[in-house]
Amino acid sequence: MPRTTVHLAVYDTFADWETGHTTAHLTQNGYTVRTVGPTTEPVVTMGGVRIQPDLALAGLDPEDSALLILTGARLWDSGDDLAPFAATARTFLDAGVPVAAICGATAGLAREGLLDEREHTSAVSFYLDATGYKGGAHYREADAVTDGDLITAGPTEPVALAREVFARLGVYEGEKLDAWYRLFHDSDASAFAILDA
């Protein structure tokens, strides 16, 4: 039976706007989103929203998940508080469970060594170069990149991140996936008819 639970990592300074398209459309297509925090204590997003995590990171098992989503946060660049989330991403990838990372989370994955051999993107290449990682040759100038089970996107590309997640999970495919992206990225109203069909 396919897994239908998606885990969204939440932590202080979590970038609220980066996963709205992804989580909203996953839940409309049969997935359940559960939040995972450092503990089950509430966290406060960059936008000031207080979130009570559904479970603590220590209790997260890739066998119970269809996807792990890591968003940007100021904490990715101000110490190693979020390093356990990057380590968990390694566990997910080793188990063959997809991971989607956007914005500062890509730097966390770079520090963990997860981008050294995989095609990826981020805000700009020199942002990741500052982490000391060895994956510069695999950096792609693109809105979002999928390499096997790893999806990466820059901070201004939440719609592109969602598109890649939907493609990887088979939520939307082909013409429907293209129409979804044109509607939400390009404001192409003609795409609505394809999605509504």
Side-chain angles (χ1 to χ4, degrees):
M1 187 166 124
R3 298 176 195 145
T4 58
T5 300
V6 168
H7 289 94
L8 173 64
V10 294
Y11 20 72
D12 285 330
T13 72
F14 163 89
D16 312 59
W17 61 92
E18 293 178 342
T19 63
H21 289 89
T22 303
T23 55
H25 289 272
L26 286 174
T27 59
Q28 292 174 42
N29 285 279
Y31 286 85
T32 300
V33 176
R34 296 195 71 210
T35 53
V36 182
T39 67
T40 55
E41 291 298 309
V43 298
V44 179
T45 72
M46 210 175 286
V49 177
R50 190 175 168 86
I51 297 175
Q52 178 82 49
D54 293 314
L55 72 154
L57 185 62
L60 180 60
D61 185 338
E63 294 299 316
D64 299 329
S65 189
L67 172 74
L68 173 63
I69 304 171
L70 301 172
T71 69
R74 289 194 185 106
L75 290 178
W76 285 112
D77 296 319
S78 63
D80 59 2
D81 287 351
L82 299 184
F85 286 92
T88 298
R90 176 181 293 283
T91 302
F92 267 61
L93 293 170
D94 288 348
V97 180
V99 172
I102 186 169
C103 191
T106 62
L109 298 187
R111 289 184 194 95
E112 181 67 20
L114 295 174
L115 306 184
D116 288 351
E117 301 296 330
R118 293 177 173 93
E119 291 193 1
H120 60 276
T121 194
S122 184
V124 288
S125 59
F126 58 82
Y127 172 62
L128 293 184
D129 289 342
T131 68
Y133 87 132
K134 299 174 178 64
H138 301 288
Y139 187 88
R140 300 292 174 258
E141 292 288 348
D143 295 343
V145 172
T146 298
D147 185 337
D149 288 326
L150 179 64
I151 300 164
T152 52
T156 60
E157 298 300 335
V159 177
L161 177 80
R163 177 194 61 204
E164 298 300 304
V165 167
F166 301 154
R168 177 63 187 78
L169 296 181
V171 173
Y172 299 124
E173 297 174 321
E175 185 182 29
K176 206 161 199 172
L177 180 63
D178 178 64
W180 183 90
Y181 186 71
R182 286 189 292 114
L183 179 63
F184 288 96
H185 187 266
D186 303 328
S187 300
D188 180 354
S190 69
F192 186 77
I194 296 167
L195 280 173
D196 202 38

